[in-house]
Amino acid sequence: MDLRVEKTFTSLWDAFCGLMREKPFDKIAVKELCAKAKIRTATFYHHFSDKYDFFGSMMHYESVKYARGICSDDDKDIISYFTYYIRSALDFLESNTDFLITLVNDDALRPMFGLAGKRLQKDIALRFRRDNGLRGFVGEPELLAAFCAGALEESLAWWFERRRTIPKEEMIGKLIAIISPIVLPSV
């Protein structure tokens, strides 16, 4: 991505996160977002059709940026891969709690998880294909990837709602215990 575009996106995202702390998503105007980000509205509309397109694009951009760390180490075994993903996702949820709570209040958190889940599904399917399938699993890698991504998406949302009652390390252990027999069935 061009450095100028990346700076524009970063400025818009920071402004958006700030505005989300002040008011609900439906009350944020593109003009106001652009003023806070110090960019022209024409620049905004050059990249996005409206604030919904902006939000979806930024969620995709963030998930791609995040997924780079997950996919960068192809030497990880499948359980390490999932452990890293789960830990990184829980870290992200913990470090962005205030912003994410505003999304919960605006019913926008589930769509955010959905966007990240779609990206994760593609990454898991690539990993399964790269590993030439899994021992004992009969079927499409894409089906198993969809199952795992959907389960993780819902589980992470479930944890976020209960984050004060279940420690992060305990949640990681629980999810790995659930996923292990699915992705590493006994032969």
Side-chain angles (χ1 to χ4, degrees):
M1 178 184 299
D2 181 280
L3 184 59
R4 290 173 297 163
V5 173
E6 190 168 340
K7 285 182 178 183
T8 297
F9 285 9
T10 300
S11 180
L12 280 167
W13 185 245
D14 291 345
F16 176 74
C17 291
L19 288 170
M20 284 291 292
R21 288 183 186 94
E22 299 169 15
K23 59 177 73 176
F25 179 76
D26 64 337
K27 301 288 185 203
I28 297 173
V30 170
K31 186 175 180 180
E32 175 184 31
L33 174 62
C34 291
K36 188 165 181 103
K38 297 182 176 152
I39 67 157
R40 297 172 348 136
T41 54
T43 302
F44 177 91
Y45 286 114
H46 176 74
H47 297 285
F48 311 104
S49 59
D50 57 26
K51 69 180 181 180
Y52 300 96
D53 181 38
F54 162 74
F55 182 71
S57 295
M58 292 311 293
M59 288 294 101
H60 176 71
Y61 174 73
E62 288 296 314
S63 69
V64 167
K65 206 167 70 172
Y66 170 70
R68 281 186 205 136
I70 296 167
C71 297
S72 63
D73 188 356
D74 284 338
D75 294 334
K76 291 179 181 161
D77 63 68
I78 197 69
I79 298 304
S80 296
Y81 170 84
F82 278 108
T83 302
Y84 180 83
Y85 171 79
I86 294 164
R87 179 171 277 110
S88 297
L90 294 176
D91 287 346
F92 175 82
L93 294 174
E94 274 187 335
S95 60
N96 293 283
T97 299
D98 292 340
F99 171 68
L100 295 170
I101 286 172
T102 63
L103 293 178
V104 168
N105 295 337
D106 283 354
D107 293 324
L109 186 61
R110 290 293 179 162
M112 185 196 88
F113 276 109
L115 289 167
K118 292 289 184 205
R119 176 64 190 186
L120 175 62
Q121 182 178 335
K122 289 179 184 175
D123 292 338
I124 293 171
L126 284 172
R127 177 63 190 252
F128 288 165
R129 281 194 304 278
R130 192 208 76 203
D131 289 350
N132 296 320
L134 300 168
R135 294 187 326 249
F137 178 73
V138 179
E140 299 289 325
E142 289 79 10
L143 172 59
L144 184 57
F147 178 83
C148 291
L152 286 171
E153 179 185 328
E154 286 300 316
S155 298
L156 294 170
W158 181 89
W159 178 83
F160 184 73
E161 294 167 1
R162 294 161 183 80
R163 66 194 172 283
R164 290 190 179 99
T165 60
I166 301 173
K168 182 171 52 175
E169 292 303 317
E170 183 180 337
M171 185 65 178
I172 293 167
K174 287 176 185 282
L175 289 175
I176 292 304
I178 292 167
I179 261 184
S180 293
I182 295 168
V183 299
L184 293 174
S186 57
V187 191

mmCIF file of all heavy atoms in Angstrom, residues 11-55:
data_model
loop_
_atom_site.group_PDB
_atom_site.id
_atom_site.type_symbol
_atom_site.label_atom_id
_atom_site.label_comp_id
_atom_site.label_asym_id
_atom_site.label_seq_id
_atom_site.Cartn_x
_atom_site.Cartn_y
_atom_site.Cartn_z
ATOM 1 N N SER A 11 -4.917 7.883 9.813
ATOM 2 C CA SER A 11 -5.523 9.110 10.340
ATOM 3 C C SER A 11 -7.037 8.967 10.467
ATOM 4 O O SER A 11 -7.640 9.350 11.481
ATOM 5 C CB SER A 11 -5.167 10.288 9.428
ATOM 6 O OG SER A 11 -5.740 11.469 9.912
ATOM 7 N N LEU A 12 -7.670 8.407 9.441
ATOM 8 C CA LEU A 12 -9.125 8.187 9.487
ATOM 9 C C LEU A 12 -9.489 7.205 10.593
ATOM 10 O O LEU A 12 -10.465 7.414 11.320
ATOM 11 C CB LEU A 12 -9.627 7.658 8.136
ATOM 12 C CG LEU A 12 -9.817 8.692 7.046
ATOM 13 C CD1 LEU A 12 -10.013 8.013 5.690
ATOM 14 C CD2 LEU A 12 -11.007 9.596 7.364
ATOM 15 N N TRP A 13 -8.726 6.125 10.705
ATOM 16 C CA TRP A 13 -9.036 5.109 11.722
ATOM 17 C C TRP A 13 -8.903 5.692 13.128
ATOM 18 O O TRP A 13 -9.753 5.474 13.989
ATOM 19 C CB TRP A 13 -8.138 3.895 11.544
ATOM 20 C CG TRP A 13 -8.489 2.779 12.475
ATOM 21 C CD1 TRP A 13 -7.717 2.289 13.471
ATOM 22 C CD2 TRP A 13 -9.699 2.018 12.494
ATOM 23 N NE1 TRP A 13 -8.379 1.266 14.114
ATOM 24 C CE2 TRP A 13 -9.591 1.086 13.532
ATOM 25 C CE3 TRP A 13 -10.857 2.048 11.726
ATOM 26 C CZ2 TRP A 13 -10.601 0.186 13.831
ATOM 27 C CZ3 TRP A 13 -11.864 1.140 12.017
ATOM 28 C CH2 TRP A 13 -11.733 0.227 13.063
ATOM 29 N N ASP A 14 -7.822 6.437 13.373
ATOM 30 C CA ASP A 14 -7.633 7.054 14.690
ATOM 31 C C ASP A 14 -8.766 8.033 14.995
ATOM 32 O O ASP A 14 -9.295 8.054 16.117
ATOM 33 C CB ASP A 14 -6.287 7.775 14.759
ATOM 34 C CG ASP A 14 -5.094 6.817 14.752
ATOM 35 O OD1 ASP A 14 -5.306 5.603 14.977
ATOM 36 O OD2 ASP A 14 -3.972 7.290 14.496
ATOM 37 N N ALA A 15 -9.145 8.824 13.996
ATOM 38 C CA ALA A 15 -10.251 9.774 14.182
ATOM 39 C C ALA A 15 -11.551 9.027 14.443
ATOM 40 O O ALA A 15 -12.346 9.409 15.321
ATOM 41 C CB ALA A 15 -10.381 10.673 12.956
ATOM 42 N N PHE A 16 -11.773 7.965 13.699
ATOM 43 C CA PHE A 16 -12.986 7.171 13.863
ATOM 44 C C PHE A 16 -13.061 6.578 15.271
ATOM 45 O O PHE A 16 -14.098 6.645 15.934
ATOM 46 C CB PHE A 16 -13.027 6.063 12.810
ATOM 47 C CG PHE A 16 -14.193 5.133 12.942
ATOM 48 C CD1 PHE A 16 -15.468 5.535 12.587
ATOM 49 C CD2 PHE A 16 -14.011 3.857 13.440
ATOM 50 C CE1 PHE A 16 -16.549 4.677 12.718
ATOM 51 C CE2 PHE A 16 -15.081 2.990 13.572
ATOM 52 C CZ PHE A 16 -16.356 3.403 13.210
ATOM 53 N N CYS A 17 -11.956 5.993 15.735
ATOM 54 C CA CYS A 17 -11.936 5.404 17.086
ATOM 55 C C CYS A 17 -12.217 6.467 18.141
ATOM 56 O O CYS A 17 -12.955 6.221 19.095
ATOM 57 C CB CYS A 17 -10.597 4.724 17.352
ATOM 58 S SG CYS A 17 -10.339 3.230 16.377
ATOM 59 N N GLY A 18 -11.662 7.659 17.945
ATOM 60 C CA GLY A 18 -11.927 8.758 18.873
ATOM 61 C C GLY A 18 -13.390 9.169 18.870
ATOM 62 O O GLY A 18 -14.000 9.367 19.933
ATOM 63 N N LEU A 19 -13.967 9.282 17.699
ATOM 64 C CA LEU A 19 -15.383 9.651 17.599
ATOM 65 C C LEU A 19 -16.292 8.572 18.175
ATOM 66 O O LEU A 19 -17.328 8.887 18.779
ATOM 67 C CB LEU A 19 -15.756 9.940 16.139
ATOM 68 C CG LEU A 19 -15.202 11.242 15.569
ATOM 69 C CD1 LEU A 19 -15.417 11.306 14.052
ATOM 70 C CD2 LEU A 19 -15.855 12.449 16.250
ATOM 71 N N MET A 20 -15.906 7.306 17.999
ATOM 72 C CA MET A 20 -16.722 6.216 18.535
ATOM 73 C C MET A 20 -16.773 6.251 20.060
ATOM 74 O O MET A 20 -17.728 5.769 20.657
ATOM 75 C CB MET A 20 -16.204 4.857 18.065
ATOM 76 C CG MET A 20 -16.552 4.512 16.635
ATOM 77 S SD MET A 20 -18.304 4.207 16.361
ATOM 78 C CE MET A 20 -18.545 2.692 17.274
ATOM 79 N N ARG A 21 -15.760 6.832 20.674
ATOM 80 C CA ARG A 21 -15.779 6.958 22.136
ATOM 81 C C ARG A 21 -16.727 8.080 22.574
ATOM 82 O O ARG A 21 -17.160 8.105 23.714
ATOM 83 C CB ARG A 21 -14.375 7.222 22.656
ATOM 84 C CG ARG A 21 -13.482 6.016 22.571
ATOM 85 C CD ARG A 21 -12.093 6.283 23.166
ATOM 86 N NE ARG A 21 -11.233 5.160 22.928
ATOM 87 C CZ ARG A 21 -10.394 5.051 21.891
ATOM 88 N NH1 ARG A 21 -10.319 6.013 21.001
ATOM 89 N NH2 ARG A 21 -9.642 3.979 21.761
ATOM 90 N N GLU A 22 -17.034 8.981 21.651
ATOM 91 C CA GLU A 22 -17.886 10.120 21.974
ATOM 92 C C GLU A 22 -19.346 9.906 21.616
ATOM 93 O O GLU A 22 -20.232 10.475 22.258
ATOM 94 C CB GLU A 22 -17.383 11.365 21.222
ATOM 95 C CG GLU A 22 -15.976 11.780 21.566
ATOM 96 C CD GLU A 22 -15.435 12.835 20.615
ATOM 97 O OE1 GLU A 22 -16.231 13.457 19.863
ATOM 98 O OE2 GLU A 22 -14.206 13.042 20.622
ATOM 99 N N LYS A 23 -19.594 9.128 20.553
ATOM 100 C CA LYS A 23 -20.971 8.985 20.069
ATOM 101 C C LYS A 23 -21.163 7.690 19.319
ATOM 102 O O LYS A 23 -20.195 7.074 18.885
ATOM 103 C CB LYS A 23 -21.333 10.174 19.175
ATOM 104 C CG LYS A 23 -20.423 10.342 17.967
ATOM 105 C CD LYS A 23 -20.844 11.478 17.056
ATOM 106 C CE LYS A 23 -20.526 12.800 17.697
ATOM 107 N NZ LYS A 23 -20.820 13.925 16.833
ATOM 108 N N PRO A 24 -22.414 7.277 19.136
ATOM 109 C CA PRO A 24 -22.672 6.030 18.395
ATOM 110 C C PRO A 24 -22.323 6.173 16.906
ATOM 111 O O PRO A 24 -22.296 7.276 16.356
ATOM 112 C CB PRO A 24 -24.169 5.786 18.559
ATOM 113 C CG PRO A 24 -24.709 6.894 19.369
ATOM 114 C CD PRO A 24 -23.615 7.867 19.673
ATOM 115 N N PHE A 25 -22.069 5.029 16.290
ATOM 116 C CA PHE A 25 -21.693 4.970 14.883
ATOM 117 C C PHE A 25 -22.675 5.724 13.990
ATOM 118 O O PHE A 25 -22.273 6.480 13.108
ATOM 119 C CB PHE A 25 -21.586 3.503 14.447
ATOM 120 C CG PHE A 25 -21.220 3.315 13.006
ATOM 121 C CD1 PHE A 25 -19.920 3.510 12.584
ATOM 122 C CD2 PHE A 25 -22.169 2.933 12.071
ATOM 123 C CE1 PHE A 25 -19.555 3.333 11.258
ATOM 124 C CE2 PHE A 25 -21.822 2.756 10.745
ATOM 125 C CZ PHE A 25 -20.509 2.961 10.334
ATOM 126 N N ASP A 26 -23.963 5.531 14.215
ATOM 127 C CA ASP A 26 -24.963 6.150 13.339
ATOM 128 C C ASP A 26 -25.006 7.669 13.461
ATOM 129 O O ASP A 26 -25.575 8.346 12.617
ATOM 130 C CB ASP A 26 -26.351 5.538 13.553
ATOM 131 C CG ASP A 26 -26.904 5.773 14.945
ATOM 132 O OD1 ASP A 26 -26.119 6.013 15.874
ATOM 133 O OD2 ASP A 26 -28.141 5.711 15.087
ATOM 134 N N LYS A 27 -24.362 8.230 14.481
ATOM 135 C CA LYS A 27 -24.330 9.694 14.655
ATOM 136 C C LYS A 27 -23.057 10.326 14.096
ATOM 137 O O LYS A 27 -22.904 11.537 14.111
ATOM 138 C CB LYS A 27 -24.444 10.054 16.143
ATOM 139 C CG LYS A 27 -25.688 9.547 16.815
ATOM 140 C CD LYS A 27 -26.897 10.309 16.365
ATOM 141 C CE LYS A 27 -28.104 9.847 17.166
ATOM 142 N NZ LYS A 27 -29.342 10.092 16.502
ATOM 143 N N ILE A 28 -22.152 9.507 13.599
ATOM 144 C CA ILE A 28 -20.903 10.027 13.041
ATOM 145 C C ILE A 28 -21.109 10.348 11.566
ATOM 146 O O ILE A 28 -21.513 9.491 10.783
ATOM 147 C CB ILE A 28 -19.748 9.014 13.217
ATOM 148 C CG1 ILE A 28 -19.469 8.786 14.702
ATOM 149 C CG2 ILE A 28 -18.487 9.494 12.498
ATOM 150 C CD1 ILE A 28 -18.466 7.687 14.980
ATOM 151 N N ALA A 29 -20.819 11.579 11.207
ATOM 152 C CA ALA A 29 -20.945 12.021 9.810
ATOM 153 C C ALA A 29 -19.569 11.957 9.135
ATOM 154 O O ALA A 29 -18.541 12.168 9.781
ATOM 155 C CB ALA A 29 -21.483 13.443 9.753
ATOM 156 N N VAL A 30 -19.572 11.670 7.855
ATOM 157 C CA VAL A 30 -18.318 11.601 7.092
ATOM 158 C C VAL A 30 -17.577 12.933 7.179
ATOM 159 O O VAL A 30 -16.353 12.958 7.381
ATOM 160 C CB VAL A 30 -18.587 11.198 5.618
ATOM 161 C CG1 VAL A 30 -17.335 11.374 4.778
ATOM 162 C CG2 VAL A 30 -19.091 9.771 5.543
ATOM 163 N N LYS A 31 -18.292 14.024 7.074
ATOM 164 C CA LYS A 31 -17.675 15.354 7.132
ATOM 165 C C LYS A 31 -16.958 15.555 8.470
ATOM 166 O O LYS A 31 -15.840 16.063 8.522
ATOM 167 C CB LYS A 31 -18.746 16.430 6.927
ATOM 168 C CG LYS A 31 -18.213 17.820 6.835
ATOM 169 C CD LYS A 31 -19.325 18.806 6.511
ATOM 170 C CE LYS A 31 -18.789 20.207 6.424
ATOM 171 N NZ LYS A 31 -19.833 21.185 6.121
ATOM 172 N N GLU A 32 -17.609 15.124 9.542
ATOM 173 C CA GLU A 32 -17.021 15.230 10.876
ATOM 174 C C GLU A 32 -15.784 14.332 11.006
ATOM 175 O O GLU A 32 -14.764 14.736 11.565
ATOM 176 C CB GLU A 32 -18.090 14.832 11.893
ATOM 177 C CG GLU A 32 -17.646 14.764 13.318
ATOM 178 C CD GLU A 32 -18.749 14.264 14.235
ATOM 179 O OE1 GLU A 32 -19.604 13.459 13.792
ATOM 180 O OE2 GLU A 32 -18.730 14.663 15.401
ATOM 181 N N LEU A 33 -15.867 13.125 10.485
ATOM 182 C CA LEU A 33 -14.748 12.191 10.508
ATOM 183 C C LEU A 33 -13.555 12.778 9.762
ATOM 184 O O LEU A 33 -12.424 12.753 10.252
ATOM 185 C CB LEU A 33 -15.169 10.855 9.887
ATOM 186 C CG LEU A 33 -14.094 9.795 9.703
ATOM 187 C CD1 LEU A 33 -13.490 9.379 11.040
ATOM 188 C CD2 LEU A 33 -14.678 8.583 8.979
ATOM 189 N N CYS A 34 -13.809 13.335 8.594
ATOM 190 C CA CYS A 34 -12.733 13.917 7.784
ATOM 191 C C CYS A 34 -12.108 15.121 8.476
ATOM 192 O O CYS A 34 -10.878 15.290 8.449
ATOM 193 C CB CYS A 34 -13.261 14.315 6.411
ATOM 194 S SG CYS A 34 -13.701 12.881 5.399
ATOM 195 N N ALA A 35 -12.931 15.947 9.107
ATOM 196 C CA ALA A 35 -12.409 17.119 9.823
ATOM 197 C C ALA A 35 -11.485 16.674 10.957
ATOM 198 O O ALA A 35 -10.398 17.237 11.140
ATOM 199 C CB ALA A 35 -13.553 17.961 10.358
ATOM 200 N N LYS A 36 -11.917 15.676 11.702
ATOM 201 C CA LYS A 36 -11.104 15.185 12.821
ATOM 202 C C LYS A 36 -9.813 14.531 12.316
ATOM 203 O O LYS A 36 -8.762 14.650 12.937
ATOM 204 C CB LYS A 36 -11.902 14.213 13.667
ATOM 205 C CG LYS A 36 -11.202 13.820 14.952
ATOM 206 C CD LYS A 36 -12.154 13.169 15.928
ATOM 207 C CE LYS A 36 -11.443 12.803 17.201
ATOM 208 N NZ LYS A 36 -11.716 13.713 18.289
ATOM 209 N N ALA A 37 -9.877 13.844 11.176
ATOM 210 C CA ALA A 37 -8.697 13.187 10.594
ATOM 211 C C ALA A 37 -7.813 14.162 9.821
ATOM 212 O O ALA A 37 -6.716 13.802 9.397
ATOM 213 C CB ALA A 37 -9.135 12.056 9.672
ATOM 214 N N LYS A 38 -8.320 15.371 9.608
ATOM 215 C CA LYS A 38 -7.601 16.402 8.850
ATOM 216 C C LYS A 38 -7.314 15.966 7.418
ATOM 217 O O LYS A 38 -6.203 16.094 6.906
ATOM 218 C CB LYS A 38 -6.330 16.816 9.572
ATOM 219 C CG LYS A 38 -6.612 17.451 10.910
ATOM 220 C CD LYS A 38 -5.376 17.896 11.606
ATOM 221 C CE LYS A 38 -5.812 18.587 12.870
ATOM 222 N NZ LYS A 38 -4.916 18.556 13.936
ATOM 223 N N ILE A 39 -8.365 15.408 6.801
ATOM 224 C CA ILE A 39 -8.285 15.078 5.378
ATOM 225 C C ILE A 39 -9.510 15.667 4.682
ATOM 226 O O ILE A 39 -10.524 15.954 5.321
ATOM 227 C CB ILE A 39 -8.207 13.556 5.123
ATOM 228 C CG1 ILE A 39 -9.512 12.875 5.516
ATOM 229 C CG2 ILE A 39 -7.034 12.927 5.816
ATOM 230 C CD1 ILE A 39 -9.716 11.570 4.817
ATOM 231 N N ARG A 40 -9.418 15.842 3.396
ATOM 232 C CA ARG A 40 -10.550 16.376 2.631
ATOM 233 C C ARG A 40 -11.597 15.288 2.429
ATOM 234 O O ARG A 40 -11.263 14.110 2.300
ATOM 235 C CB ARG A 40 -10.061 16.890 1.277
ATOM 236 C CG ARG A 40 -9.092 18.046 1.384
ATOM 237 C CD ARG A 40 -8.463 18.442 0.059
ATOM 238 N NE ARG A 40 -8.695 17.464 -0.992
ATOM 239 C CZ ARG A 40 -9.054 17.766 -2.246
ATOM 240 N NH1 ARG A 40 -9.176 18.992 -2.611
ATOM 241 N NH2 ARG A 40 -9.229 16.820 -3.130
ATOM 242 N N THR A 41 -12.860 15.696 2.364
ATOM 243 C CA THR A 41 -13.922 14.715 2.128
ATOM 244 C C THR A 41 -13.755 14.083 0.744
ATOM 245 O O THR A 41 -14.095 12.916 0.559
ATOM 246 C CB THR A 41 -15.329 15.330 2.274
ATOM 247 O OG1 THR A 41 -15.432 16.466 1.443
ATOM 248 C CG2 THR A 41 -15.621 15.696 3.719
ATOM 249 N N ALA A 42 -13.220 14.831 -0.208
ATOM 250 C CA ALA A 42 -12.987 14.270 -1.548
ATOM 251 C C ALA A 42 -12.001 13.094 -1.462
ATOM 252 O O ALA A 42 -12.149 12.097 -2.174
ATOM 253 C CB ALA A 42 -12.465 15.337 -2.497
ATOM 254 N N THR A 43 -11.007 13.208 -0.589
ATOM 255 C CA THR A 43 -10.051 12.118 -0.397
ATOM 256 C C THR A 43 -10.761 10.906 0.187
ATOM 257 O O THR A 43 -10.540 9.768 -0.253
ATOM 258 C CB THR A 43 -8.902 12.562 0.540
ATOM 259 O OG1 THR A 43 -8.258 13.707 -0.044
ATOM 260 C CG2 THR A 43 -7.894 11.443 0.753
ATOM 261 N N PHE A 44 -11.626 11.141 1.163
ATOM 262 C CA PHE A 44 -12.400 10.049 1.757
ATOM 263 C C PHE A 44 -13.195 9.340 0.666
ATOM 264 O O PHE A 44 -13.135 8.116 0.542
ATOM 265 C CB PHE A 44 -13.345 10.588 2.845
ATOM 266 C CG PHE A 44 -14.215 9.537 3.453
ATOM 267 C CD1 PHE A 44 -13.804 8.848 4.578
ATOM 268 C CD2 PHE A 44 -15.451 9.221 2.899
ATOM 269 C CE1 PHE A 44 -14.606 7.856 5.149
ATOM 270 C CE2 PHE A 44 -16.261 8.243 3.453
ATOM 271 C CZ PHE A 44 -15.838 7.552 4.586
ATOM 272 N N TYR A 45 -13.947 10.113 -0.138
ATOM 273 C CA TYR A 45 -14.804 9.515 -1.157
ATOM 274 C C TYR A 45 -14.025 8.925 -2.332
ATOM 275 O O TYR A 45 -14.569 8.133 -3.094
ATOM 276 C CB TYR A 45 -15.862 10.513 -1.626
ATOM 277 C CG TYR A 45 -16.943 10.707 -0.589
ATOM 278 C CD1 TYR A 45 -17.120 11.920 0.059
ATOM 279 C CD2 TYR A 45 -17.782 9.651 -0.242
ATOM 280 C CE1 TYR A 45 -18.114 12.087 1.017
ATOM 281 C CE2 TYR A 45 -18.767 9.804 0.718
ATOM 282 C CZ TYR A 45 -18.926 11.022 1.343
ATOM 283 O OH TYR A 45 -19.905 11.166 2.294
ATOM 284 N N HIS A 46 -12.761 9.273 -2.437
ATOM 285 C CA HIS A 46 -11.910 8.631 -3.436
ATOM 286 C C HIS A 46 -11.678 7.158 -3.068
ATOM 287 O O HIS A 46 -11.543 6.305 -3.948
ATOM 288 C CB HIS A 46 -10.575 9.375 -3.545
ATOM 289 C CG HIS A 46 -9.599 8.717 -4.474
ATOM 290 N ND1 HIS A 46 -9.726 8.760 -5.839
ATOM 291 C CD2 HIS A 46 -8.487 7.984 -4.215
ATOM 292 C CE1 HIS A 46 -8.737 8.078 -6.384
ATOM 293 N NE2 HIS A 46 -7.969 7.607 -5.424
ATOM 294 N N HIS A 47 -11.650 6.882 -1.756
ATOM 295 C CA HIS A 47 -11.367 5.530 -1.267
ATOM 296 C C HIS A 47 -12.608 4.756 -0.829
ATOM 297 O O HIS A 47 -12.624 3.527 -0.901
ATOM 298 C CB HIS A 47 -10.389 5.587 -0.087
ATOM 299 C CG HIS A 47 -9.056 6.143 -0.447
ATOM 300 N ND1 HIS A 47 -8.115 5.431 -1.153
ATOM 301 C CD2 HIS A 47 -8.500 7.361 -0.215
ATOM 302 C CE1 HIS A 47 -7.031 6.174 -1.332
ATOM 303 N NE2 HIS A 47 -7.239 7.353 -0.764
ATOM 304 N N PHE A 48 -13.642 5.465 -0.370
ATOM 305 C CA PHE A 48 -14.811 4.799 0.217
ATOM 306 C C PHE A 48 -16.093 5.437 -0.309
ATOM 307 O O PHE A 48 -16.148 6.642 -0.545
ATOM 308 C CB PHE A 48 -14.794 4.931 1.751
ATOM 309 C CG PHE A 48 -13.478 4.565 2.363
ATOM 310 C CD1 PHE A 48 -12.606 5.546 2.811
ATOM 311 C CD2 PHE A 48 -13.091 3.234 2.487
ATOM 312 C CE1 PHE A 48 -11.384 5.217 3.373
ATOM 313 C CE2 PHE A 48 -11.871 2.897 3.041
ATOM 314 C CZ PHE A 48 -11.015 3.889 3.484
ATOM 315 N N SER A 49 -17.146 4.617 -0.431
ATOM 316 C CA SER A 49 -18.416 5.152 -0.920
ATOM 317 C C SER A 49 -19.227 5.820 0.188
ATOM 318 O O SER A 49 -19.983 6.745 -0.074
ATOM 319 C CB SER A 49 -19.248 4.051 -1.591
ATOM 320 O OG SER A 49 -19.496 3.002 -0.678
ATOM 321 N N ASP A 50 -19.069 5.355 1.425
ATOM 322 C CA ASP A 50 -19.765 5.937 2.573
ATOM 323 C C ASP A 50 -19.107 5.438 3.853
ATOM 324 O O ASP A 50 -18.117 4.702 3.797
ATOM 325 C CB ASP A 50 -21.265 5.603 2.556
ATOM 326 C CG ASP A 50 -21.552 4.106 2.521
ATOM 327 O OD1 ASP A 50 -20.713 3.298 2.980
ATOM 328 O OD2 ASP A 50 -22.627 3.736 2.033
ATOM 329 N N LYS A 51 -19.649 5.801 5.003
ATOM 330 C CA LYS A 51 -19.014 5.409 6.256
ATOM 331 C C LYS A 51 -19.115 3.905 6.505
ATOM 332 O O LYS A 51 -18.260 3.323 7.174
ATOM 333 C CB LYS A 51 -19.577 6.196 7.441
ATOM 334 C CG LYS A 51 -20.992 5.883 7.818
ATOM 335 C CD LYS A 51 -21.415 6.738 9.002
ATOM 336 C CE LYS A 51 -22.833 6.425 9.423
ATOM 337 N NZ LYS A 51 -23.230 7.255 10.560
ATOM 338 N N TYR A 52 -20.107 3.249 5.952
ATOM 339 C CA TYR A 52 -20.237 1.794 6.099
ATOM 340 C C TYR A 52 -19.144 1.083 5.294
ATOM 341 O O TYR A 52 -18.544 0.113 5.761
ATOM 342 C CB TYR A 52 -21.633 1.327 5.676
ATOM 343 C CG TYR A 52 -22.713 1.966 6.510
ATOM 344 C CD1 TYR A 52 -23.375 3.103 6.060
ATOM 345 C CD2 TYR A 52 -23.026 1.461 7.763
ATOM 346 C CE1 TYR A 52 -24.347 3.713 6.834
ATOM 347 C CE2 TYR A 52 -24.004 2.067 8.544
ATOM 348 C CZ TYR A 52 -24.662 3.187 8.088
ATOM 349 O OH TYR A 52 -25.607 3.804 8.866
ATOM 350 N N ASP A 53 -18.910 1.580 4.088
ATOM 351 C CA ASP A 53 -17.831 1.047 3.265
ATOM 352 C C ASP A 53 -16.492 1.283 3.964
ATOM 353 O O ASP A 53 -15.632 0.397 3.999
ATOM 354 C CB ASP A 53 -17.854 1.715 1.887
ATOM 355 C CG ASP A 53 -16.775 1.196 0.960
ATOM 356 O OD1 ASP A 53 -16.495 -0.020 0.984
ATOM 357 O OD2 ASP A 53 -16.212 2.015 0.194
ATOM 358 N N PHE A 54 -16.317 2.470 4.543
ATOM 359 C CA PHE A 54 -15.101 2.786 5.300
ATOM 360 C C PHE A 54 -14.916 1.792 6.444
ATOM 361 O O PHE A 54 -13.850 1.210 6.600
ATOM 362 C CB PHE A 54 -15.165 4.214 5.855
ATOM 363 C CG PHE A 54 -14.193 4.476 6.966
ATOM 364 C CD1 PHE A 54 -12.846 4.628 6.703
ATOM 365 C CD2 PHE A 54 -14.624 4.557 8.280
ATOM 366 C CE1 PHE A 54 -11.941 4.852 7.737
ATOM 367 C CE2 PHE A 54 -13.734 4.780 9.319
ATOM 368 C CZ PHE A 54 -12.382 4.933 9.047
ATOM 369 N N PHE A 55 -15.973 1.590 7.235
ATOM 370 C CA PHE A 55 -15.874 0.702 8.392
ATOM 371 C C PHE A 55 -15.517 -0.721 7.950
ATOM 372 O O PHE A 55 -14.613 -1.337 8.504
ATOM 373 C CB PHE A 55 -17.189 0.713 9.179
ATOM 374 C CG PHE A 55 -17.151 -0.139 10.411
ATOM 375 C CD1 PHE A 55 -16.411 0.240 11.505
ATOM 376 C CD2 PHE A 55 -17.856 -1.323 10.473
ATOM 377 C CE1 PHE A 55 -16.360 -0.545 12.655
ATOM 378 C CE2 PHE A 55 -17.824 -2.115 11.608
ATOM 379 C CZ PHE A 55 -17.075 -1.723 12.699
#
